[in-house]
Amino acid sequence: SDLSAEMILQGSRKKEHVLLAANLLAIQSQLDMMTAAGKRKGKKGGKNRKPGSAASVTELVRQLLGSKDRAVLELALLSAAHLGINVDEEVAGLEMRRSPAAEAARLLYLAGRGQPLDNAQIEGVAAGRFKSDKQFQEVSPALSTYAPTSHPLCYLAQALAAAGNTSHMKHLHAGLEHPDLRVQSDSAKAIEILGPP
């Protein structure tokens, strides 16, 4: 939970603890997003947050965005995107340190905030040579986890869909042929949102 992540960050600044806190926050933000979209059903839904916690979560994301760890940056940007919180100032001056996954997560964040997406950044992510994880190339239990991270091309597809950007449909069509089933799935969803019937 976000409270656990906050406690971990307060207690330690060790690299592995910061990464753990970032993972916890990203998982919680993903679950919150799913609840808000009605994909997870429960009696309390997303209304069981303590008063004032939104401010502490925003501050937590800000702290994580100050990290030099590329994995932490990716997770922090995903959390901000999923929760819809405003960390525009921190994101605007963020140096990605050659991290295509974090760059793709930033596109997702910007799209969710209604900000324009930079064509050069879109093309840069789309042209990236990402290692393919074989466990996601066939239907298996690995596809049914709550891992907070995904393939960078998944973030790109989600960002294009959220932005209503139809200028880069070629990347979504290419995603349908990608060996990673997660990319295929998110590309298909984006095409459904953006494309003609």
Side-chain angles (χ1 to χ4, degrees):
S1 72
D2 48 14
L3 180 60
S4 300
E6 195 170 357
M7 290 173 65
I8 290 169
L9 272 186
Q10 285 176 355
S12 173
R13 292 289 184 243
K14 288 184 178 179
K15 183 178 179 179
E16 61 270 21
H17 291 172
V18 174
L19 184 58
L20 175 60
N23 269 288
L24 285 171
L25 182 62
I27 290 169
Q28 183 62 50
S29 70
Q30 192 174 59
L31 292 173
D32 285 358
M33 177 187 65
M34 291 170 65
T35 300
K39 293 180 181 176
R40 280 179 72 242
K41 299 195 185 266
K43 292 181 181 178
K44 294 183 180 178
K47 298 181 180 179
N48 55 359
R49 269 191 189 278
K50 294 179 181 177
S53 67
S56 64
V57 170
T58 301
E59 184 54 38
L60 188 55
V61 171
R62 286 188 176 125
Q63 287 180 43
L64 293 171
L65 287 173
S67 174
K68 294 182 179 180
D69 187 313
R70 291 180 291 181
V72 171
L73 287 177
E74 177 186 357
L75 290 160
L77 286 162
L78 290 175
S79 297
H82 293 158
L83 294 170
I85 59 177
N86 184 346
V87 285
D88 290 352
E89 189 176 328
E90 289 78 7
V91 171
L94 199 58
E95 171 55 52
M96 287 305 177
R97 302 171 188 90
R98 297 181 184 177
S99 174
E103 188 60 61
R106 175 161 64 177
L107 289 173
L108 180 57
Y109 168 79
L110 293 173
R113 296 283 301 154
Q115 297 185 23
L117 303 183
D118 183 271
N119 286 335
Q121 291 175 345
I122 291 172
E123 294 299 327
V125 171
R129 297 188 178 194
F130 307 107
K131 292 182 179 178
S132 186
D133 192 333
K134 291 186 178 181
Q135 70 173 333
F136 297 117
Q137 293 182 8
E138 57 186 31
V139 177
S140 73
L143 293 170
S144 301
T145 67
Y146 282 111
T149 57
S150 190
H151 194 286
L153 293 179
C154 290
Y155 306 153
L156 178 59
Q158 293 167 26
L160 292 174
N165 191 323
T166 58
S167 302
H168 301 277
M169 295 297 286
K170 63 181 179 182
H171 300 313
L172 299 176
H173 292 141
L176 296 176
E177 304 297 329
H178 197 279
D180 191 312
L181 297 182
R182 299 170 301 172
V183 177
Q184 291 182 29
S185 176
D186 282 339
S187 296
K189 289 174 186 173
I191 290 170
E192 181 181 23
I193 291 169
L194 297 173

